[in-house]
Amino acid sequence: MYVCLCRAVTDKAIKQAVENGCESFREVRDELDVGTCCGMCVPETRQLIDETLAKL
Ligand code: FES
């Protein structure tokens, strides 16, 4: 499922970035470019990052 339509970033890609070591929204954004256009996806991306970190 796409979380960020502007940059075509999926929930899977975000989870994978966290599993591979990203620990903050900024780090995920730098890696995937997520949230760098309209910003609509930022709350959902942050939530996904938190959920994934909690499971590690
Ligand atoms: Fe992610 Fe627009 S949907 S920046």
Side-chain angles (χ1 to χ4, degrees), residues 3-9 33-42 45:
V3 173
C4 179
L5 289 175
C6 296
R7 301 296 185 209
V9 180
D33 228 19
V34 61
T36 56
C37 189
C38 74
M40 286 275 286
C41 57
V42 173
T45 301

Side-chain angles (χ1 to χ4, degrees), residues 1-55:
M1 175 190 87
Y2 284 113
V3 173
C4 179
L5 289 175
C6 296
R7 301 296 185 209
V9 180
T10 61
D11 56 342
K12 260 190 196 154
I14 293 165
K15 283 181 197 168
Q16 206 161 43
V18 174
E19 283 163 6
N20 289 339
C22 291
E23 293 182 335
S24 65
F25 173 75
R26 182 177 295 200
E27 286 178 15
V28 174
R29 183 196 64 196
D30 287 352
E31 185 152 320
L32 302 177
D33 228 19
V34 61
T36 56
C37 189
C38 74
M40 286 275 286
C41 57
V42 173
E44 194 175 344
T45 301
R46 283 184 188 279
Q47 195 179 338
L48 255 175
I49 293 167
D50 286 350
E51 283 171 14
T52 309
L53 281 173
K55 285 184 199 153

